Amino acid sequence: MAELPEVGEALGEGSLVTAALEGCRLAGNRLNLDVYPDGCRQFLELFEKRREEVAQVEFLRLNCNEALIDSTLGSVPLLTCLRSLVLKGGHAKDEFGACQQGSLTTLPQDFGSLLCLTHLDLSFNSFSRLPSCVTDLASLRVLLVCHNSLVELPENFGRLSKLTFFSAMKNQLRDLPRSIGELAALQRLDLSENALQSLPDEIGSLYNCRELDLSGNQLMGVPDSLANLRSLQQLRLHSNLLVTVPASLASLPNLSRLDLQNNRLRSIPPEIQSSPFVHLRGNPLGEPEIPLQSDESSSGELRRVFPVPSEESFTVTPEGCKVILACGVQFYFPPGAATSSVTIHFQTLSPDPQWVKLRHHDILLSEVLELRPHGVEFQQEVQLRMPYTSPRTLREREVVVRTFNGQSWSDLQTKVERRGKPKVLPVTAEELAEITDDPESRASPLLCLSQNSTVDFLRPVKIQLPLPPGVTGLTLDRSRLHLLHGNLQAQTWDDITSQVVLEFTHLYARFEVTHFSWYWLWYTTKTYIGGIARKVYERLRLYQVNFIALQRKKDPEQVLLQCVPKHKVDPVLGKLHDRYQGPEPSDIVELFEGEQFFAAFERGINIDADRPDCVDGRISFIFYSHLKNMKEIYVTAEVDRKGQAVKGQVSFYRGEVPDNVPEDATKKRKGPDSHWLATLPIKLPKLKARSGEHSEPKNGFSFPPLNLGNAETGYLTQTNLLGIARRIGADWQTIGLNLGLTYQQIERIGYNHREDLDSQILNMLFSWAQQNSEDQNCVEKLITAMKESGRQDIADEIEMVIELGRQKYRASIRRVGLDQESSAEDSAIAMV
């Protein structure tokens, strides 16, 4: 890292309008030092040399993971104009990638003299009690003490009468002082993920509070005084131990969200249960009481264990149990899984690239869950359910849970359960008239509400469907209205109009159901419409589509493939025109909703066969009309493109015939040529030979020719570097730091090219290459940096390029007779 200039040089005469250091920034009345490794040292030097000017700073940020933080705090109270002070830890990480707490456990008493201070952030530190000086800050409006170890708040906490936002999430608070009710100006209060077992009645005096988060505690009940919070808009009580809630909460006039999920509520006051803003998932509503401490219930069901957020273990007995963690992870230990009682300790960890190795095309969907002691064996299979967030297009076979044995990761047998989502298929009057040959028929949008289980609901669920076009609740003839119910496969459609109670508004029909399936409102003079509905449904599932194959203008090896309904083709092409080019879309073909198709690159073009969506060398798709059905693929040529362009193609083929396809459509999908859908040309241009002057400009940049390494050990040329750049993606900052670039250089590159990821990558890689072009070991450094950044795939590619260069070098030496070993060997053979 370059040497820092003298601190005094960074300040202009008589003004703090703008100042910059290589290691810190002082601009206007702000001093941001928390992102630099020695910010505390620089603050002390700056304060010593330009005390009067630094004393006017209003915004200060310091890193509490630094060793000099305690020494620095002695000078902070002298900044009498200070309005915002951020003293956070969490800037360093441990070996598992988790944020390390800062070292602060207290503050100097004279901090209370900062009378202008309105914002104080002490998050990610080691406070077990709030320093007494904090309650002397009479102007304080925002106080953040998240991720500490606070066990209590001071009794005089109510002195902070101007406080509008207080967050103490992720601490160990067991109770609250009664004075909390004196915070008359408080609007947001976050006490989530603590160990609160009860709340004082005085909390109902926070009349201006709009958001109250008490989730992740050990509350078994809440005081009735919460009903006094007339300004409350959001109340989060999920992940507690609640067995009851006051019915008066439903009367709060401004409440828009009441989250009661993952508690122990077995009954809910009707006033709350009927409220549309209440969330109740994860409660044993209607289930019999099962004592948590008993080994088994009277009904023979497994006991349920709900460890609270402050607990880090649970016990498994030979009788088995179901365990639900606050983070959403669930375990099922069947009876007999354990021969004796076993205590399982658990923790969630942020993944560290050093030991959580992702394969090429892998995407991490969750945090790491560690269970201890390691190596415990159970007598029966234990089920583990892990929630995850993922791109909507991930298919079931692409999600897997992996386990680590200390040396390597292996896949577990994984089954994916997806939450049902409503599907809506609109049908126009014109389409309906064409299919049914009845211009008088009308139908509402077709609604599918799916569920994993076929068990009926404990209570009916109300559904609201829009009336068919042209029909209102005032004009409809009920004798012509039919409510159809379809089975899960939509093969049969039953008229259930006489079996439900239909209520009508001006635009909607309402009814109650006991399980989800397909529901459809028809308005027609026909009496038996089940067969007609099936015919219309089959037609609705059939889409006319076009295939698109485009190449990036700046990088023709990046090919975009997309399957688009015909009415969306022009808008899609319009959005892609600036960045992509290629042939016209294919002719129109017909695909059913959910039908599989493949894309195969042919005539000299290859793809990466290790892609998870690659089946027998072809890219697999599933067509859904509401998704983009788009993938971008990196292709290569089978031949050297230096001498000629490659004129290849991509062909699209049908996959397996989907379920429930009409018989006549199934017949059309049989035969040797029935699977082919379309073919579009793909051209990879001829590579231009470099003349030794300048390479082709890439993304608006023109770099001088580079050859890293040497002829004997193997070169990396500029073309090689461009190929590597295409593979780096969002990891460029990590790779840059591992190559030795400073944080300031990375930040500058990111800012200068903040709207173009390709430009950020190229600048980072070529800036490093130009600085290290004379270093004979620079290629080895590049390989090491890729490995340390978790990009073993790029490291392997570089090693292959280098090995190929070595082979070519040795072959050229042998051809001109300069290789002593080869010459001697050839001679010996000739003599025999």
Side-chain angles (χ1 to χ4, degrees):
M1 182 178 292
E3 290 185 3
L4 299 176
E6 287 294 320
V7 176
E9 298 175 3
L11 295 176
E13 288 295 325
S15 174
L16 289 178
V17 175
T18 303
L21 297 172
E22 178 66 20
C24 69
R25 292 177 180 174
L26 176 56
N29 56 1
R30 299 174 181 268
L31 187 56
N32 300 324
L33 297 168
D34 56 337
V35 294
Y36 305 106
D38 57 351
C40 289
R41 177 186 66 82
Q42 297 194 36
F43 173 83
L44 294 172
E45 294 181 5
L46 189 62
F47 186 77
E48 180 181 354
K49 296 185 178 182
R50 309 299 291 268
R51 175 174 301 204
E52 293 183 1
E53 292 150 310
V54 175
Q56 303 303 313
V57 167
E58 297 181 9
F59 302 87
L60 175 63
R61 301 177 65 97
L62 293 172
N63 178 358
C64 291
N65 291 109
E66 292 188 39
L68 292 176
I69 184 64
D70 290 325
S71 304
T72 306
L73 293 184
S75 303
V76 171
L78 302 177
L79 278 59
T80 55
C81 297
L82 207 58
R83 295 169 53 196
S84 174
L85 177 60
V86 177
L87 301 173
K88 289 178 65 175
H91 295 277
K93 294 187 177 182
D94 60 20
E95 57 180 334
F96 298 108
C99 293
Q100 289 185 340
Q101 303 293 109
S103 59
L104 289 187
T105 59
T106 186
L107 295 176
Q109 190 60 37
D110 51 356
F111 258 63
S113 62
L114 296 172
L115 300 181
C116 297
L117 194 66
T118 62
H119 175 271
L120 177 60
D121 189 347
L122 302 173
S123 303
F124 285 96
N125 276 291
S126 303
F127 292 101
S128 59
R129 283 177 172 76
L130 197 67
S132 58
C133 60
V134 172
T135 55
D136 295 332
L137 301 172
S139 300
L140 203 61
R141 295 180 179 273
V142 177
L143 176 58
L144 308 176
V145 288
C146 315
H147 295 268
N148 277 276
S149 302
L150 296 177
V151 295
E152 62 180 6
L153 296 177
E155 286 298 331
N156 62 347
F157 190 68
R159 293 180 59 192
L160 299 174
S161 58
K162 294 185 179 181
L163 206 62
T164 61
F165 178 32
F166 174 55
S167 177
M169 67 172 296
K170 280 191 174 293
N171 279 274
Q172 300 171 23
L173 295 175
R174 300 189 183 95
D175 51 33
L176 299 176
R178 295 184 181 277
S179 63
I180 196 168
E182 301 172 14
L183 302 177
L186 196 65
Q187 298 178 10
R188 296 171 60 194
L189 177 58
D190 186 354
L191 299 171
S192 59
E193 299 193 51
N194 278 276
L196 295 174
Q197 298 181 1
S198 62
L199 300 173
D201 289 336
E202 286 76 8
I203 198 170
S205 300
L206 303 176
Y207 301 118
N208 290 307
C209 188
R210 298 199 302 263
E211 297 181 21
L212 177 56
D213 193 342
L214 298 166
S215 60
N217 281 280
Q218 303 176 27
L219 298 172
M220 300 186 69
V222 294
D224 293 337
S225 61
L226 286 183
N228 299 331
L229 305 181
R230 312 294 287 178
S231 301
L232 199 61
Q233 298 175 4
Q234 297 187 22
L235 175 56
R236 294 181 173 87
L237 291 166
H238 66 81
S239 307
N240 274 280
L241 306 175
L242 295 177
V243 295
T244 182
V245 289
S248 54
L249 294 180
S251 64
L252 291 173
N254 296 304
L255 196 62
S256 60
R257 182 181 180 87
L258 174 56
D259 195 341
L260 297 172
Q261 300 179 86
N262 298 317
N263 278 282
R264 298 181 182 176
L265 297 169
R266 287 182 168 78
S267 63
I268 302 291
E271 299 90 337
I272 290 182
Q273 190 160 9
S274 60
S275 300
F277 52 77
V278 177
H279 300 263
L280 295 170
R281 183 186 296 272
N283 283 285
L285 293 174
E287 295 184 11
E289 181 72 26
I290 302 176
L292 285 180
Q293 301 304 320
S294 62
D295 289 338
E296 58 185 47
S297 68
S298 57
S299 62
E301 295 184 14
L302 291 182
R303 68 185 178 100
R304 295 189 177 198
V305 179
F306 298 86
V308 296
S310 60
E311 295 179 346
E312 297 180 348
S313 65
F314 57 87
T315 300
V316 180
T317 64
E319 288 75 17
C321 61
K322 297 177 183 178
V323 183
I324 299 95
L325 305 185
C327 61
V329 176
Q330 300 182 24
F331 301 90
Y332 174 75
F333 295 90
T339 56
S340 60
S341 294
V342 179
T343 299
I344 304 295
H345 298 267
F346 63 89
Q347 65 174 334
T348 55
L349 305 171
S350 299
D352 186 343
Q354 299 297 327
W355 59 279
V356 180
K357 300 294 186 181
L358 294 181
R359 304 166 190 168
H360 194 37
H361 298 298
D362 281 355
I363 301 174
L364 195 62
L365 304 180
S366 72
E367 290 186 307
V368 177
L369 175 66
E370 182 185 15
L371 302 174
R372 302 186 309 275
H374 299 167
V376 174
E377 294 186 1
F378 293 96
Q379 305 304 310
Q380 296 190 40
E381 185 179 83
V382 175
Q383 294 183 11
L384 165 65
R385 176 173 295 184
M386 294 189 69
Y388 67 90
T389 56
S390 68
R392 296 195 313 175
T393 54
L394 281 183
R395 297 190 303 281
E396 180 171 331
R397 71 181 184 88
E398 296 173 322
V399 180
V400 67
V401 176
R402 290 181 180 154
T403 181
F404 187 62
N405 62 5
Q407 299 294 328
S408 61
W409 292 86
S410 58
D411 295 348
L412 295 177
Q413 182 179 351
T414 305
K415 178 182 178 182
V416 178
E417 294 182 357
R418 303 187 189 276
R419 294 180 178 177
K421 294 184 178 180
K423 301 177 184 177
V424 178
L425 296 177
V427 53
T428 64
E430 293 76 14
E431 289 176 315
L432 205 61
E434 178 186 351
I435 299 171
T436 63
D437 197 24
D438 180 9
E440 299 298 323
S441 292
R442 299 286 187 273
S444 72
L446 172 58
L447 175 68
C448 176
L449 298 169
S450 61
Q451 64 187 78
N452 295 331
S453 172
T454 58
V455 179
D456 286 354
F457 301 141
L458 296 175
R459 296 187 180 183
V461 175
K462 182 168 287 189
I463 292 179
Q464 178 174 283
L465 271 178
L467 290 169
V471 180
T472 70
L474 299 176
T475 62
L476 68 84
D477 179 356
R478 293 202 179 196
S479 65
R480 297 176 59 183
L481 190 71
H482 301 268
L483 176 61
L484 300 185
H485 164 264
N487 63 355
L488 292 178
Q489 292 74 33
Q491 290 295 300
T492 60
W493 295 88
D494 299 322
D495 191 337
I496 60 171
T497 311
S498 61
Q499 302 173 27
V500 300
V501 177
L502 285 169
E503 301 174 356
F504 299 97
T505 66
H506 184 63
L507 298 175
Y508 296 95
R510 296 173 178 168
F511 55 95
E512 292 184 341
V513 298
T514 56
H515 62 275
F516 285 160
S517 187
W518 296 89
Y519 297 98
W520 210 350
L521 270 177
W522 279 65
Y523 195 71
T524 178
T525 57
K526 297 183 180 293
T527 306
Y528 302 103
I529 57 176
I532 300 175
R534 178 179 176 180
K535 182 178 179 181
V536 173
Y537 167 71
E538 292 171 351
R539 178 67 176 270
L540 288 178
R541 292 181 61 206
L542 187 63
Y543 287 83
Q544 292 184 326
V545 301
N546 298 87
F547 294 104
I548 295 174
L550 302 175
Q551 296 171 264
R552 275 189 181 269
K553 293 180 179 179
K554 295 180 179 179
D555 184 5
E557 294 173 337
Q558 291 289 120
V559 179
L560 181 144
L561 303 180
Q562 190 168 5
C563 177
V564 187
K566 67 174 185 179
H567 65 282
K568 296 182 180 179
V569 170
D570 290 339
V572 168
L573 290 178
K575 293 180 179 178
L576 299 174
H577 174 74
D578 292 339
R579 293 174 294 147
Y580 295 87
Q581 62 185 1
E584 292 295 317
S586 71
D587 293 335
I588 293 176
V589 299
E590 292 185 340
L591 286 178
F592 280 97
E593 186 87 7
E595 184 170 359
Q596 185 183 35
F597 66 93
F598 295 94
F601 288 89
E602 301 164 339
R603 298 180 61 183
I605 296 182
N606 293 330
I607 60 172
D608 182 0
D610 291 333
R611 290 176 59 109
D613 57 355
C614 186
V615 179
D616 297 329
R618 304 185 301 176
I619 304 297
S620 172
F621 291 79
I622 303 292
F623 171 73
Y624 289 105
S625 57
H626 61 286
L627 299 180
K628 291 184 178 181
N629 307 293
M630 177 179 68
K631 295 185 180 182
E632 196 161 9
I633 296 98
Y634 177 77
V635 301
T636 57
E638 294 180 354
V639 299
D640 190 349
R641 290 162 50 205
K642 293 182 179 179
Q644 60 181 354
V646 176
K647 297 181 179 180
Q649 64 185 29
V650 57
S651 296
F652 298 90
Y653 299 91
R654 295 188 190 276
E656 297 181 0
V657 179
D659 296 335
N660 307 324
V661 168
E663 185 176 350
D664 57 341
T666 304
K667 293 179 180 179
K668 294 179 182 179
R669 283 161 168 74
K670 295 181 180 179
D673 298 327
S674 62
H675 291 284
W676 176 83
L677 294 169
T679 296
L680 295 172
I682 297 292
K683 181 179 179 180
L684 296 180
K686 175 182 176 181
L687 292 178
K688 297 180 180 180
R690 298 190 310 278
S691 62
E693 301 174 356
H694 289 281
S695 297
E696 298 182 63
K698 175 76 173 174
N699 286 11
F701 300 99
S702 180
F703 297 103
L706 286 170
N707 284 319
L708 301 183
N710 56 66
E712 185 173 356
T713 59
Y715 276 124
L716 273 184
T717 65
Q718 181 167 335
T719 301
N720 298 141
L721 289 176
L722 290 173
I724 292 169
R726 283 195 293 266
R727 301 282 298 277
I728 288 177
D731 295 326
W732 72 273
Q733 292 174 307
T734 303
I735 292 172
L737 292 172
N738 286 327
L739 283 172
L741 273 67
T742 65
Y743 180 89
Q744 291 77 23
Q745 289 174 304
I746 295 293
E747 187 180 50
R748 190 179 302 116
I749 292 172
Y751 178 81
N752 291 341
H753 307 278
R754 53 191 175 276
E755 296 182 355
D756 190 345
L757 177 62
D758 292 340
S759 299
Q760 292 172 341
I761 297 170
L762 288 168
N763 269 272
M764 178 278 295
L765 189 59
F766 278 85
S767 296
W768 170 83
Q770 290 168 355
Q771 295 172 13
N772 295 269
S773 59
E774 303 298 325
D775 186 351
Q776 297 297 313
N777 298 319
C778 60
V779 174
E780 193 62 35
K781 292 180 180 178
L782 180 60
I783 294 174
T784 302
M786 293 299 175
K787 292 179 179 179
E788 292 176 347
S789 304
R791 296 305 303 267
Q792 184 68 41
D793 56 319
I794 302 180
D796 294 342
E797 180 180 328
I798 297 173
E799 290 176 338
M800 290 175 59
V801 171
I802 293 300
E803 179 59 31
L804 181 61
R806 292 193 190 107
Q807 294 175 4
K808 290 182 178 180
Y809 174 77
R810 293 166 186 160
S812 64
I813 292 297
R814 285 196 296 269
R815 281 196 298 271
V816 297
L818 297 178
D819 189 340
Q820 295 181 357
E821 294 183 5
S822 298
S823 299
E825 183 179 354
D826 292 341
S827 299
I829 293 174
M831 289 174 63
V832 172

